[in-house]
Structure formats: C-alpha cells, structure tokens
Amino acid sequence: MSYDTLLYNIGELILPAPGPLKGEGMKQLKIKENAALAVKDGKIAWIGSHEESIQQQAETKVDAGGKVVSPGLVDPHTHLVFGGSRENELALKQAGVPYLEILKKGGGILSTVQATREESEDKLYEKAGRSLQRMASFGVTTLEAKSGYGLDRENELKQLRVVQRLRDQGSLDIVSTFLGPHAIPPEYKQDPDGFLDEMVKLLAEIRSENLADYTDIFCETGVFTIEQSRRFMKASQDLGFQTKIHADEIDSLGGTELAVDMGAASADHLVAASDEGISKLAEGQTVAVLLPGTTFYLGKNEYAKARKMIDQGAAVTLATDFNPGSCVTDNLQMIMSLAALKLKMTPEEIWNAVTVNAAHAIGRSDKAGTLEIGSAADLVLWDVPNYQYIPYHYGVNHALAVWKHGRKIWGRRDADVFSVPQPEREY
Ligand SMILES: [Zn+2]
C-alpha cells in the first residue's frame, strides 16, 4: 500500500478522544510520542510509531522534525463576513465609553451594518476569503460563520450567500449560521418585535435555499429579551434549524438557562452566566462557547467562569468571535493563550476545547476535531516542542504546515534571519 502523504518523526501526536467531552473528560488528552501518520484519499489511513514508518511507502514524505502534529483547529464562533472596519472605536473604548453607549449613538455594530449593506457580494466574498486564508495559516481547518450585519432580508441573504460561496469554492469547511436578530436596525428602533417578525419570516426562505445550518440571536439588555429569544429559537427549531444564542455576555439575563431548556447546540459568551445556568450546562447537552478574546479586547477584567463550568461538568469550547468591533482577531492560537491566562484552563482542556468540543458545537463531530483511522486528514504541524507550548508562547503563529483533507493548504518557510545554516526543508 502506498499512501499519498506520510508524516514521520512526530514528537507528539495529539489524539483527542471523540467528543463532546464534558467536565472530567476534558482533563484527559491522549498524546502519542515518536509517532507517524499516513494519509490516503484525504483520510487518515494509518497511525503508528516513527520506527514503523520506515517500512511505509508514500508519494510525499514529511519529516516532522520531532515537533507536534494535531488535528486541524475548529473555530466555532466567527462573524466572518462584514464590510468596513472600526479602528476609530478603539479610542472611544480607551476613553472608557461602554459598548452599549457606542451602540446607542449609531456606532458599533450599526456602522458595520451600514458598511455591509453598501458592499457588493463580490467584495464581501473577497474580503472574507482573505480572513479565511489567515485563519488557515493559524491552523484552522473548520469554522462557523454567522450573518448578522445585514439586518434586512436582502442583506442577510447576501451575507449567507457569501458564506455559501466560500463553502463551495474554498478549501475550509464552513458551517453557516443565520444571525438576523443580531441588533435592532435603526428603521425598527421603536418596534423590535416587528423586526423580529421580519427575521422569523426569513427562516423559511433560508431553509428552502439551504443557506444556513444554525440560527443565532443576541440576547442582551437593549437588544433582544429572553422572551424574544425564546420565540425566535422556537420558530427556528420548528423549521428544523439547530439553535445558538449569544447569552449572558454583559448582563445576567438567563440566556444560559434558556439555551439548555431549549436544547440549543451552544450558548456563547456566558461571562455573566448565573450559578444556576452553569449547573444546567453541566446537566444538559448544550456546549458552552467561551470567547475570552472579546473580554480581553473590550478591556474588561471579569472573564467567563471556565473553571467552574468544567469542574461542575460542562462541555466547554473556545472560539475567536472574530468580528470588526468587539474582537478583531482571527488567530485561535491567541485565544488558546487567553484561555490559559484568563480562564485558567489547562493545556489539555484547551486542546480538547479547540478540537473535539468545537467540532461538536457546530455539528461536525464526525468530520473534524479528532485523528482516527478513516477521519478527515485535517492536520497541523506545529513548530513547537510539545503540546503545552502553544498557550505559553503567545501572540505568534506556531503553525508550520496545514493540511485539509490531506491536501497542504498552507506552509511556512523559515526566513534565514540570523544566517544560521538551516537544512533545506520546505513545509
Ligand atoms: Zn458573536
């Protein structure tokens, strides 16, 4: 048997157990040392020891140099498609203006809504495509992308079509989420329920065109209430959508409890989740998607209680929340560092969070997050000596090479900065 690709001399091969991993389960992480792995037809075909790999035939052989190989990372919460940028708001934040205040003045998300409405579908496609390339370079091979900057029929559908095109034509797996009720547009300022009716009406059209797998709603003071969120989630589920909710980010409204009660796939943010909400997460099937990059970027000191969630038995995952206002990063490795520093998660928990649990939160447990015989050959070769190293050395890109379905989609060539002779090795 000749394989397509053989990775040998792998110092540590990260093999997360199939998820979702809850509580104690998140604390275990299987590592195979001195490993090798072979790929055939886009799938993992063989896993063995480095010594055994000498017998294996392959078209392409890659010396992993004793470094770390993991499944491709999964980013389960991004606002990938948007027009414009909001660097001007950084100064407002530095001056201590709260986000809800910026929103009231027509800034914040509403300025992105305007820029997204004005942008053509092709331009949005190109812009989001560049973000995807960056995400891939950071080791992400599967992600979720939300709409929510159109806030009317035409522009929400435009955003979802961009995601569909990226999904059809790009190399990464993208799960599409309709987040029509992301904010209340100026034209509905006096009639939030009327706006929600419009978004509910859109569900059937999105379903029939297969433009989204999930729906999502921003449940927060000044945006949508618990009752409105329940109504939208129910309408979504009646049409066969799975649901997600931006819950308890700023105020403790009970969105976490609602998510579990409604059987939502995930509850996201959860900085202000109540003790009862956390207990419910531990008992229920809903995954907690934590977004420490957002708390960090908003300059806040109170982070989601990841330790309590995991210790009580919840399934926790991590995401970038990549968006132009509250978290402007598409680097999931940076989020891994924040999870260690601010959420006090262990390296084992962090790896499980960004692989199997992230895949589960977006319904891709069977397609991403693990490395087993027959699973997709989504792989990252990391320029690090061990799996604990990535959260530790923060703010840089440690990925050396990234494969999606066995095809190399990104690789780094080291620059010869110090004129130290390097063996010629292309990743
Ligand atoms: Zn979000």
Side-chain angles (χ1 to χ4, degrees):
M1 164 86 143
S2 178
Y3 299 113
D4 299 332
T5 307
L6 177 74
L7 272 75
Y8 64 98
N9 194 18
I10 300 171
E12 291 184 356
L13 179 62
I14 301 180
L15 299 165
L21 300 175
K22 295 182 77 175
E24 283 297 311
M26 286 190 72
K27 300 178 184 180
Q28 314 297 322
L29 181 67
K30 188 173 161 194
I31 304 290
K32 186 173 170 63
E33 294 180 354
N34 301 315
L37 170 155
V39 175
K40 181 85 180 166
D41 300 328
K43 295 197 161 75
I44 306 293
W46 175 82
I47 294 173
S49 68
H50 172 57
E51 290 69 30
E52 291 166 325
S53 74
I54 295 155
Q55 321 291 331
Q56 309 296 332
Q57 304 296 313
E59 211 166 288
T60 308
K61 291 191 173 186
V62 178
D63 180 356
K67 298 173 192 293
V68 173
V69 170
S70 79
L73 304 185
V74 180
D75 190 343
H77 183 137
T78 83
H79 301 256
L80 177 70
V81 182
F82 57 84
S85 59
R86 285 161 36 198
E87 53 276 24
N88 58 321
E89 281 177 27
L90 192 54
L92 290 174
K93 280 183 208 137
Q94 282 167 327
V97 182
Y99 176 68
L100 293 179
E101 192 73 22
I102 296 173
L103 192 64
K104 253 187 226 163
K105 289 176 180 156
I109 187 173
L110 296 178
S111 63
T112 298
V113 170
Q114 198 181 341
T116 306
R117 286 177 174 179
E118 285 165 5
E119 204 69 282
S120 71
E121 188 180 307
D122 285 347
K123 281 274 184 312
L124 288 173
Y125 174 79
E126 284 167 28
K127 187 170 191 279
R130 286 194 293 276
S131 298
L132 278 185
Q133 280 176 359
R134 256 195 321 272
M135 288 178 179
S137 77
F138 289 125
V140 170
T141 51
T142 300
L143 66 140
E144 184 250 23
K146 301 175 193 294
S147 68
Y149 295 119
L151 306 186
D152 61 23
R153 178 184 170 275
E154 181 195 342
N155 289 293
E156 283 295 314
L157 292 177
K158 180 172 76 179
Q159 270 193 287
L160 292 172
R161 287 203 184 97
V162 169
V163 174
Q164 191 181 38
R165 280 172 66 186
L166 292 165
R167 187 161 65 170
D168 292 348
Q169 295 168 26
S171 23
L172 304 191
D173 278 337
I174 309 177
V175 173
S176 176
T177 297
F178 171 55
L179 175 58
H182 190 195
I184 298 157
E187 58 271 26
Y188 277 97
K189 210 172 171 189
Q190 305 307 326
D191 184 18
D193 276 308
F195 174 64
L196 198 60
D197 289 341
E198 288 299 309
M199 294 299 102
V200 167
K201 252 188 248 163
L202 250 183
L203 290 171
E205 193 172 350
I206 293 165
R207 190 84 216 156
S208 68
E209 290 189 40
N210 201 20
L211 284 172
D213 312 286
Y214 291 83
T215 72
D216 195 347
I217 183 164
F218 193 32
C219 179
E220 189 56 70
T221 306
V223 197
F224 295 100
T225 64
I226 288 286
E227 269 322 303
Q228 288 167 330
S229 302
R230 190 195 313 275
R231 175 156 80 88
F232 182 72
M233 291 168 92
K234 175 84 171 64
S236 301
Q237 289 172 345
D238 286 349
L239 282 169
F241 288 103
Q242 295 229 57
T243 54
K244 293 174 168 286
I245 179 170
H246 282 63
D248 300 327
E249 178 185 357
I250 300 163
D251 292 331
S252 185
L253 297 186
T256 312
E257 291 89 325
L258 177 68
V260 180
D261 289 346
M262 295 291 290
S266 72
D268 302 38
H269 282 293
L270 312 186
V271 176
S274 69
D275 288 350
E276 195 199 330
I278 292 173
S279 302
K280 282 203 165 196
L281 282 172
E283 290 154 20
Q285 300 303 313
T286 302
V287 179
V289 179
L290 305 187
L291 311 165
T294 311
T295 312
F296 172 76
Y297 197 76
L298 293 175
K300 296 189 173 178
N301 296 319
E302 197 192 328
Y303 283 78
K305 298 181 186 74
R307 269 278 44 91
K308 191 167 188 175
M309 291 176 193
I310 296 170
D311 292 343
Q312 287 200 5
V316 167
T317 179
L318 296 160
T320 56
D321 193 20
F322 173 55
N323 77 74
S326 62
C327 194
V328 197
T329 185
D330 30 31
N331 181 354
L332 196 55
Q333 294 170 49
M334 178 71 189
I335 304 303
M336 294 168 77
S337 290
L338 290 174
L341 297 167
K342 300 293 189 180
L343 304 184
K344 312 296 180 201
M345 288 170 67
T346 66
E348 294 78 16
E349 291 164 349
I350 291 169
W351 277 105
N352 284 322
V354 296
T355 54
V356 276
N357 278 9
H360 183 75
I362 55 174
R364 289 295 185 275
S365 286
D366 56 335
K367 295 191 171 70
T370 53
L371 294 178
E372 295 178 315
I373 304 299
S375 68
D378 296 355
L379 301 162
V380 185
L381 170 58
W382 301 97
D383 190 13
V384 298
N386 55 62
Y387 73 94
Q388 295 101 329
Y389 192 92
I390 290 177
Y392 155 76
H393 185 164
Y394 78 99
V396 295
N397 187 5
H398 295 289
L400 270 181
V402 182
W403 290 264
K404 179 70 190 172
H405 295 307
R407 187 173 71 87
K408 194 170 91 171
I409 56 170
W410 190 79
R412 183 180 93 193
R413 264 197 104 125
D414 283 309
D416 194 4
V417 183
F418 296 113
S419 300
V420 175
Q422 299 273 343
E424 189 66 22
R425 176 187 287 159
E426 192 188 341
Y427 291 106

mmCIF file of all heavy atoms in Angstrom, residues 10-32:
data_model
loop_
_atom_site.group_PDB
_atom_site.id
_atom_site.type_symbol
_atom_site.label_atom_id
_atom_site.label_comp_id
_atom_site.label_asym_id
_atom_site.label_seq_id
_atom_site.Cartn_x
_atom_site.Cartn_y
_atom_site.Cartn_z
ATOM 1 N N ILE A 10 7.276 12.430 14.290
ATOM 2 C CA ILE A 10 6.400 13.341 15.035
ATOM 3 C C ILE A 10 6.723 13.186 16.524
ATOM 4 O O ILE A 10 6.607 12.096 17.078
ATOM 5 C CB ILE A 10 4.903 12.997 14.797
ATOM 6 C CG1 ILE A 10 4.551 13.124 13.306
ATOM 7 C CG2 ILE A 10 3.998 13.896 15.645
ATOM 8 C CD1 ILE A 10 3.156 12.588 12.954
ATOM 9 N N GLY A 11 7.148 14.264 17.148
ATOM 10 C CA GLY A 11 7.499 14.208 18.577
ATOM 11 C C GLY A 11 6.282 13.892 19.431
ATOM 12 O O GLY A 11 6.314 13.004 20.286
ATOM 13 N N GLU A 12 5.194 14.639 19.196
ATOM 14 C CA GLU A 12 3.934 14.393 19.906
ATOM 15 C C GLU A 12 2.778 14.490 18.915
ATOM 16 O O GLU A 12 2.609 15.507 18.254
ATOM 17 C CB GLU A 12 3.712 15.446 21.017
ATOM 18 C CG GLU A 12 4.677 15.313 22.181
ATOM 19 C CD GLU A 12 4.376 16.302 23.311
ATOM 20 O OE1 GLU A 12 3.459 17.146 23.170
ATOM 21 O OE2 GLU A 12 5.067 16.220 24.337
ATOM 22 N N LEU A 13 2.001 13.420 18.861
ATOM 23 C CA LEU A 13 0.794 13.424 18.031
ATOM 24 C C LEU A 13 -0.402 13.566 18.971
ATOM 25 O O LEU A 13 -0.604 12.745 19.873
ATOM 26 C CB LEU A 13 0.716 12.114 17.238
ATOM 27 C CG LEU A 13 -0.498 11.930 16.320
ATOM 28 C CD1 LEU A 13 -0.545 13.006 15.225
ATOM 29 C CD2 LEU A 13 -0.460 10.538 15.670
ATOM 30 N N ILE A 14 -1.163 14.634 18.780
ATOM 31 C CA ILE A 14 -2.298 14.919 19.669
ATOM 32 C C ILE A 14 -3.532 14.185 19.161
ATOM 33 O O ILE A 14 -3.970 14.400 18.032
ATOM 34 C CB ILE A 14 -2.559 16.439 19.748
ATOM 35 C CG1 ILE A 14 -1.305 17.148 20.271
ATOM 36 C CG2 ILE A 14 -3.771 16.739 20.627
ATOM 37 C CD1 ILE A 14 -1.429 18.653 20.386
ATOM 38 N N LEU A 15 -4.095 13.315 20.012
ATOM 39 C CA LEU A 15 -5.217 12.463 19.607
ATOM 40 C C LEU A 15 -6.406 12.651 20.554
ATOM 41 O O LEU A 15 -6.654 11.816 21.433
ATOM 42 C CB LEU A 15 -4.778 10.997 19.614
ATOM 43 C CG LEU A 15 -3.629 10.626 18.668
ATOM 44 C CD1 LEU A 15 -3.048 9.270 19.028
ATOM 45 C CD2 LEU A 15 -4.104 10.634 17.219
ATOM 46 N N PRO A 16 -7.165 13.748 20.392
ATOM 47 C CA PRO A 16 -8.298 13.955 21.293
ATOM 48 C C PRO A 16 -9.312 12.818 21.166
ATOM 49 O O PRO A 16 -9.533 12.291 20.071
ATOM 50 C CB PRO A 16 -8.913 15.272 20.795
ATOM 51 C CG PRO A 16 -7.845 15.919 19.966
ATOM 52 C CD PRO A 16 -7.062 14.789 19.371
ATOM 53 N N ALA A 17 -9.910 12.439 22.300
ATOM 54 C CA ALA A 17 -10.962 11.418 22.279
ATOM 55 C C ALA A 17 -12.209 12.007 21.622
ATOM 56 O O ALA A 17 -12.412 13.218 21.671
ATOM 57 C CB ALA A 17 -11.276 10.989 23.714
ATOM 58 N N PRO A 18 -13.042 11.139 21.002
ATOM 59 C CA PRO A 18 -14.263 11.676 20.386
ATOM 60 C C PRO A 18 -15.123 12.420 21.416
ATOM 61 O O PRO A 18 -15.224 12.009 22.560
ATOM 62 C CB PRO A 18 -14.988 10.417 19.884
ATOM 63 C CG PRO A 18 -13.920 9.376 19.768
ATOM 64 C CD PRO A 18 -12.907 9.692 20.830
ATOM 65 N N GLY A 19 -15.705 13.523 20.971
ATOM 66 C CA GLY A 19 -16.478 14.374 21.883
ATOM 67 C C GLY A 19 -17.966 14.167 21.760
ATOM 68 O O GLY A 19 -18.399 13.292 21.015
ATOM 69 N N PRO A 20 -18.748 14.934 22.466
ATOM 70 C CA PRO A 20 -18.310 16.063 23.302
ATOM 71 C C PRO A 20 -17.704 15.587 24.618
ATOM 72 O O PRO A 20 -18.168 14.592 25.190
ATOM 73 C CB PRO A 20 -19.613 16.825 23.575
ATOM 74 C CG PRO A 20 -20.681 15.766 23.515
ATOM 75 C CD PRO A 20 -20.216 14.780 22.480
ATOM 76 N N LEU A 21 -16.677 16.295 25.051
ATOM 77 C CA LEU A 21 -16.052 15.959 26.324
ATOM 78 C C LEU A 21 -16.567 16.926 27.374
ATOM 79 O O LEU A 21 -16.454 18.140 27.221
ATOM 80 C CB LEU A 21 -14.528 16.066 26.197
ATOM 81 C CG LEU A 21 -13.898 15.154 25.142
ATOM 82 C CD1 LEU A 21 -12.402 15.432 25.015
ATOM 83 C CD2 LEU A 21 -14.135 13.689 25.480
ATOM 84 N N LYS A 22 -17.126 16.362 28.427
ATOM 85 C CA LYS A 22 -17.677 17.199 29.487
ATOM 86 C C LYS A 22 -16.822 17.070 30.738
ATOM 87 O O LYS A 22 -16.308 15.989 31.041
ATOM 88 C CB LYS A 22 -19.110 16.765 29.820
ATOM 89 C CG LYS A 22 -20.087 16.976 28.668
ATOM 90 C CD LYS A 22 -21.501 16.577 29.034
ATOM 91 C CE LYS A 22 -22.167 17.644 29.896
ATOM 92 N NZ LYS A 22 -23.584 17.340 30.178
ATOM 93 N N GLY A 23 -16.704 18.161 31.479
ATOM 94 C CA GLY A 23 -16.064 18.148 32.791
ATOM 95 C C GLY A 23 -14.764 17.374 32.833
ATOM 96 O O GLY A 23 -13.806 17.703 32.135
ATOM 97 N N GLU A 24 -14.750 16.289 33.638
ATOM 98 C CA GLU A 24 -13.541 15.471 33.828
ATOM 99 C C GLU A 24 -12.967 14.985 32.503
ATOM 100 O O GLU A 24 -11.748 14.890 32.334
ATOM 101 C CB GLU A 24 -13.868 14.261 34.716
ATOM 102 C CG GLU A 24 -13.988 14.566 36.186
ATOM 103 C CD GLU A 24 -12.687 15.074 36.793
ATOM 104 O OE1 GLU A 24 -11.644 14.427 36.554
ATOM 105 O OE2 GLU A 24 -12.713 16.118 37.471
ATOM 106 N N GLY A 25 -13.868 14.671 31.578
ATOM 107 C CA GLY A 25 -13.431 14.174 30.266
ATOM 108 C C GLY A 25 -12.521 15.159 29.548
ATOM 109 O O GLY A 25 -11.667 14.770 28.755
ATOM 110 N N MET A 26 -12.703 16.448 29.820
ATOM 111 C CA MET A 26 -11.876 17.469 29.168
ATOM 112 C C MET A 26 -10.451 17.481 29.704
ATOM 113 O O MET A 26 -9.553 18.047 29.094
ATOM 114 C CB MET A 26 -12.488 18.861 29.386
ATOM 115 C CG MET A 26 -13.724 19.141 28.563
ATOM 116 S SD MET A 26 -14.176 20.884 28.674
ATOM 117 C CE MET A 26 -12.880 21.641 27.687
ATOM 118 N N LYS A 27 -10.259 16.876 30.872
ATOM 119 C CA LYS A 27 -8.939 16.961 31.519
ATOM 120 C C LYS A 27 -7.944 15.934 30.985
ATOM 121 O O LYS A 27 -6.767 15.981 31.290
ATOM 122 C CB LYS A 27 -9.112 16.840 33.037
ATOM 123 C CG LYS A 27 -9.998 17.968 33.587
ATOM 124 C CD LYS A 27 -10.261 17.878 35.075
ATOM 125 C CE LYS A 27 -11.232 19.007 35.469
ATOM 126 N NZ LYS A 27 -11.567 19.029 36.888
ATOM 127 N N GLN A 28 -8.474 14.979 30.196
ATOM 128 C CA GLN A 28 -7.596 13.951 29.621
ATOM 129 C C GLN A 28 -7.277 14.307 28.170
ATOM 130 O O GLN A 28 -8.158 14.723 27.433
ATOM 131 C CB GLN A 28 -8.294 12.576 29.611
ATOM 132 C CG GLN A 28 -8.985 12.201 30.904
ATOM 133 C CD GLN A 28 -8.008 12.073 32.054
ATOM 134 O OE1 GLN A 28 -6.898 11.587 31.847
ATOM 135 N NE2 GLN A 28 -8.397 12.513 33.236
ATOM 136 N N LEU A 29 -6.027 14.098 27.773
ATOM 137 C CA LEU A 29 -5.654 14.312 26.373
ATOM 138 C C LEU A 29 -4.637 13.244 25.996
ATOM 139 O O LEU A 29 -3.577 13.137 26.612
ATOM 140 C CB LEU A 29 -5.051 15.710 26.173
ATOM 141 C CG LEU A 29 -4.649 16.071 24.742
ATOM 142 C CD1 LEU A 29 -5.882 16.181 23.838
ATOM 143 C CD2 LEU A 29 -3.873 17.391 24.718
ATOM 144 N N LYS A 30 -4.977 12.453 24.985
ATOM 145 C CA LYS A 30 -4.076 11.370 24.582
ATOM 146 C C LYS A 30 -2.975 11.929 23.684
ATOM 147 O O LYS A 30 -3.257 12.603 22.678
ATOM 148 C CB LYS A 30 -4.869 10.290 23.851
ATOM 149 C CG LYS A 30 -4.057 9.049 23.567
ATOM 150 C CD LYS A 30 -4.945 7.943 22.994
ATOM 151 C CE LYS A 30 -4.098 6.911 22.288
ATOM 152 N NZ LYS A 30 -4.894 6.024 21.453
ATOM 153 N N ILE A 31 -1.734 11.623 24.051
ATOM 154 C CA ILE A 31 -0.576 12.059 23.264
ATOM 155 C C ILE A 31 0.214 10.813 22.881
ATOM 156 O O ILE A 31 0.554 9.999 23.737
ATOM 157 C CB ILE A 31 0.360 12.978 24.103
ATOM 158 C CG1 ILE A 31 -0.415 14.189 24.657
ATOM 159 C CG2 ILE A 31 1.574 13.394 23.300
ATOM 160 C CD1 ILE A 31 -0.828 15.194 23.637
ATOM 161 N N LYS A 32 0.504 10.667 21.592
ATOM 162 C CA LYS A 32 1.353 9.558 21.160
ATOM 163 C C LYS A 32 2.726 10.139 20.806
ATOM 164 O O LYS A 32 2.842 10.981 19.912
ATOM 165 C CB LYS A 32 0.725 8.863 19.947
ATOM 166 C CG LYS A 32 1.459 7.613 19.502
ATOM 167 C CD LYS A 32 0.666 6.888 18.405
ATOM 168 C CE LYS A 32 1.478 5.778 17.765
ATOM 169 N NZ LYS A 32 1.863 4.693 18.673
#
